[in-house]
Amino acid sequence: MKLGIAYYPEHEQPEQWDIDYSKLAAAGIRSVRIAEFAWTLLEPRDGQFEWGWLDVAIERAAAHGINVVLCTPTACPPVWLVEKHPDVLPVNKQGKAVGFGARQHRSYSSDHYVLHALRIVNRMAERYGDHPNVVAWQLDNEFGGETKYDFSDGARHAFHRWAEERYGTVEALNERWGTAFWSQRYERFDQIPLPAPIGADVHMWHHPSLELDFARFSSDSMARFARLQAAALRPYIGEKPITTNAFMFCWGDNLNWTDLFAGLDVVGMDIYSNKPHEIAFYADACRGVLGKPFWMMEYGTGTTELERDMRIVRERGCSRFYLFKMKPFPWGQEQGGGKPELVTLTGEPSRNYEVVRAYAAKHADEAELKETKRASVGLYYHFDSSWSYQLAVADRISYPDYIVHNVYRHLYEAGVSTDVVYTADQLEGLETLIIPLHQIYDAGLEERLIAFVQAGGKLIVTSDLFRKNGDNVYLRTVPRLFFELLDWRENNFPGDAVAEGSVLIRRHKTSKGETWLVHRSATEEQWKDVITGIIE
């Protein structure tokens, strides 16, 4: 695992760069991430680009043996762009534009935003694509972080196009959603509202099918924007890898990782946690997307357990580990002088500077990890099911917290190597598969699960499995998996037939394999007993 760090040369005077780079090199750090929020300095006025400072910053890093991951600065549109094209701003649920003054104030459905964002990405690619010291590229910063959903006119029109592509005809949408309920039938796609608050005196909510599709559309919009940026870079950068820094699910799993990283080379993410099992989960979640080593793009330098945390992610396949950040910010919304980063505000080494230096010295001669081994236990993560629970009218569950703290934690504490999987195509080689809270039915996955158990696999599911179809509508027929794998003969779903409190509802052997049915309401401690039984 090679070490890097976030550095902001635009925050310093040029004469400070050599001083900072020399301190990083002395600590064994050989890579920096730069320019992720520098749009206004690179393009201070519309179409006027100023590259000089970035040219020098990259060259001075090279002089100290430090390579560069160059970030596209598209998360922070400059004020001139906002003034010239106010439609670049997203609109929140209350119908107010998200104002200038922070970050991620951009609508992925704004043609003006996309045009200007791709223009600066293209210009950066032209200038630095073949630079020998720019070794990789990071897209944007934490897609879907501060602004998760956009209710602008541009998003509304884009959503209508998205829905038409998905359903073909509005009649098909009416049939699948069940818009006969409360007289919601549509005659045209452009009649469909966005699921902003309705504003009745008594709290009302939008149609669950609309809510889930809007979540899908929002995720698709961000993944599409990432693909556009990657396509702009590819002609100029050759084989250099492209990644981005994904967000922790606990802060909003509103972006489907399998879609986001499908066209990228490396999975990257930011982790801020002091819980070992949570750190381990996200490392496994990163490795699982592409089935190969991943990069940690941000890890909090102020942690008191850095040595432990580096070991956790290294053991799980992290090949590059970027700390955030070299020094505290003296200004801005993230200003802080009380908790040191790698160095203090005055430039003095922090405690973790020595931790980093010792790690780098110990592992200096190791090659970067290129592949990882498959675990025998898999834990399934399903974004649609998570969104369905997040948007539920009366049955809301924090899906990420349930997966991480109720289930994964006990696998970690038992020392069970685990792969996080996202699709039916990732089951090959697993001996045990755990699928909690997967309430959205998937016919292809059902077939794979039946085959998995019949081939000797052990399957653990919860009582809400396949309760709804892909339109977020409750099924009225029990899927055949329950008959095939659990010998379930009742004309009822297990969650309806069994009272809460019954943790292990059924354990049934089929052919070579075995299926366990766990009640969805199982607590963290009850899941500990389940996990113990699985691994015995």
Side-chain angles (χ1 to χ4, degrees):
M1 186 173 75
K2 302 301 180 182
L3 301 184
I5 202 163
Y7 181 62
Y8 297 86
E10 68 270 28
H11 294 182
E12 308 289 347
Q13 295 299 316
E15 54 267 24
Q16 182 66 31
W17 296 344
D18 282 312
I19 298 172
D20 290 344
Y21 286 144
S22 64
K23 289 179 180 178
L24 295 179
I29 291 175
R30 301 299 179 192
S31 187
V32 290
R33 295 169 53 234
I34 62 175
E36 62 184 346
F37 299 126
W39 191 343
T40 191
L41 295 173
L42 294 171
E43 189 182 7
R45 284 162 290 281
D46 189 359
Q48 179 183 323
F49 297 94
E50 297 184 0
W51 307 108
W53 68 270
L54 186 55
D55 292 345
V56 176
I58 294 172
E59 294 297 340
R60 295 317 305 158
H64 290 270
I66 296 173
N67 64 48
V68 168
V69 174
L70 193 56
C71 307
T72 63
T74 50
C76 286
V79 69
W80 60 257
L81 179 55
V82 172
E83 289 180 339
K84 189 171 184 178
H85 301 291
D87 63 280
V88 306
L89 295 175
V91 172
N92 65 21
K93 288 184 178 181
Q94 287 69 43
K96 302 292 185 182
V98 175
F100 181 86
R103 65 181 186 180
Q104 297 222 11
H105 48 282
R106 37 72 184 286
S107 168
Y108 301 101
S109 300
S110 164
D111 291 339
H112 288 121
Y113 169 69
V114 173
L115 176 68
H116 284 80
L118 294 181
R119 183 175 70 176
I120 193 167
V121 171
N122 268 289
R123 294 295 184 89
M124 292 180 76
E126 289 172 356
R127 191 172 189 89
Y128 303 109
D130 61 356
H131 195 295
N133 202 44
V134 175
V135 298
W137 291 74
Q138 175 190 302
L139 306 180
D140 205 85
N141 179 271
E142 294 177 342
F143 286 115
E146 284 81 356
T147 302
K148 303 183 186 304
Y149 301 103
D150 176 20
F151 296 84
S152 66
D153 286 342
R156 180 167 56 86
H157 295 314
F159 177 60
H160 292 156
R161 293 192 299 270
W162 182 94
E164 186 168 7
E165 291 176 3
R166 179 176 178 85
Y167 294 99
T169 66
V170 74
E171 290 79 10
L173 180 145
N174 284 323
E175 178 67 23
R176 288 168 58 176
W177 283 14
T179 56
F181 185 81
W182 282 359
S183 192
Q184 293 174 76
R185 182 180 177 276
Y186 302 107
E187 294 183 349
R188 305 185 313 273
F189 283 101
D190 63 9
Q191 293 176 323
I192 302 171
L194 299 189
I198 291 173
D201 290 333
V202 175
H203 177 65
M204 302 298 292
W205 45 87
H206 280 280
H207 197 292
S209 300
L210 168 61
E211 293 266 19
L212 180 55
D213 267 353
F214 187 66
R216 288 169 172 150
F217 158 77
S218 299
S219 176
D220 286 354
S221 298
M222 290 180 271
R224 171 183 172 273
F225 182 59
R227 289 194 299 271
L228 290 173
Q229 287 206 36
L233 291 173
R234 295 286 185 198
Y236 300 97
I237 68 172
E239 299 299 316
K240 295 177 181 179
I242 301 174
T243 188
T244 189
N245 54 333
F247 220 35
M248 291 174 70
F249 297 154
C250 61
W251 290 331
D253 66 342
N254 53 299
L255 177 52
N256 187 313
W257 281 18
T258 56
D259 295 336
L260 175 64
F261 289 106
L264 306 186
D265 305 297
V266 180
V267 173
M269 84 159 300
D270 302 346
I271 295 181
Y272 293 90
S273 173
N274 60 3
K275 300 179 177 68
H277 74 275
E278 189 170 41
I279 297 165
F281 168 81
Y282 284 106
D284 287 338
C286 287
R287 189 185 66 249
V289 179
L290 298 179
K292 61 184 182 181
F294 63 93
W295 296 357
M296 190 67 64
M297 303 311 295
E298 289 186 20
Y299 196 88
T301 320
T303 176
T304 59
E305 298 289 347
L306 183 58
E307 187 174 8
R308 176 202 68 185
D309 299 347
M310 291 169 71
R311 174 182 53 79
I312 290 173
V313 298
R314 180 176 183 269
E315 288 174 348
R316 284 163 175 77
C318 181
S319 61
R320 293 198 188 186
F321 184 88
Y322 287 84
L323 294 156
F324 187 84
K325 48 205 179 298
M326 181 182 181
K327 61 180 72 172
F329 298 134
W331 42 41
Q333 283 90 328
E334 293 184 0
Q335 70 174 178
K339 184 179 291 185
E341 306 296 347
L342 198 66
V343 300
T344 65
L345 274 168
T346 56
E348 296 303 310
S350 70
R351 172 189 175 277
N352 279 339
Y353 184 94
E354 290 305 316
V355 173
V356 169
R357 187 195 61 76
Y359 173 91
K362 179 179 179 181
H363 301 284
D365 297 329
E366 292 182 358
E368 186 174 327
L369 187 65
K370 298 299 181 183
E371 60 182 21
T372 58
K373 293 181 179 180
R374 190 76 200 269
S376 62
V377 175
L379 176 61
Y380 207 105
Y381 197 98
H382 191 234
F383 289 94
D384 279 7
S385 292
S386 177
W387 301 338
S388 178
Y389 269 122
Q390 173 190 336
L391 302 166
V393 172
D395 192 25
R396 295 193 177 187
I397 292 176
S398 177
Y399 182 102
D401 287 347
Y402 189 104
I403 297 292
V404 175
H405 304 303
N406 282 27
V407 183
Y408 180 89
R409 176 179 180 177
H410 303 301
L411 293 166
Y412 171 79
E413 292 179 348
V416 178
S417 179
T418 304
D419 278 350
V420 176
V421 297
Y422 304 89
T423 70
D425 296 331
Q426 295 179 297
L427 307 190
E428 188 71 31
L430 295 175
E431 297 175 6
T432 300
L433 177 63
I434 306 172
I435 310 187
L437 303 187
H438 196 305
Q439 70 169 345
I440 301 296
Y441 178 73
D442 180 333
L445 176 61
E446 181 182 42
E447 293 300 321
R448 294 295 296 271
L449 294 180
I450 292 172
F452 173 79
V453 174
Q454 290 176 344
K458 182 183 289 185
L459 176 66
I460 297 89
V461 300
T462 48
S463 56
D464 57 344
L465 180 70
F466 295 161
R467 284 304 311 269
K468 290 183 169 184
N469 67 20
D471 299 317
N472 209 18
V473 174
Y474 277 103
L475 295 178
R476 291 188 273 190
T477 302
V478 179
R480 72 182 186 90
L481 175 144
F482 291 92
F483 307 109
E484 296 270 356
L485 299 186
L486 287 160
D487 194 31
W488 187 263
R489 298 299 170 183
E490 296 188 43
N491 185 30
N492 209 347
F493 286 87
D496 295 334
V498 180
E500 292 191 15
S502 304
V503 180
L504 183 58
I505 298 173
R506 182 163 296 195
R507 180 177 178 179
H508 185 71
K509 290 189 176 182
T510 305
S511 184
K512 300 177 182 178
E514 185 175 17
T515 304
W516 295 31
L517 181 63
V518 178
H519 203 290
R520 186 197 68 178
S521 64
T523 66
E524 185 177 334
E525 283 305 308
Q526 289 169 332
W527 266 105
K528 182 178 182 179
D529 294 337
V530 172
I531 297 300
T532 300
I534 292 170
I535 63 178
E536 284 180 348

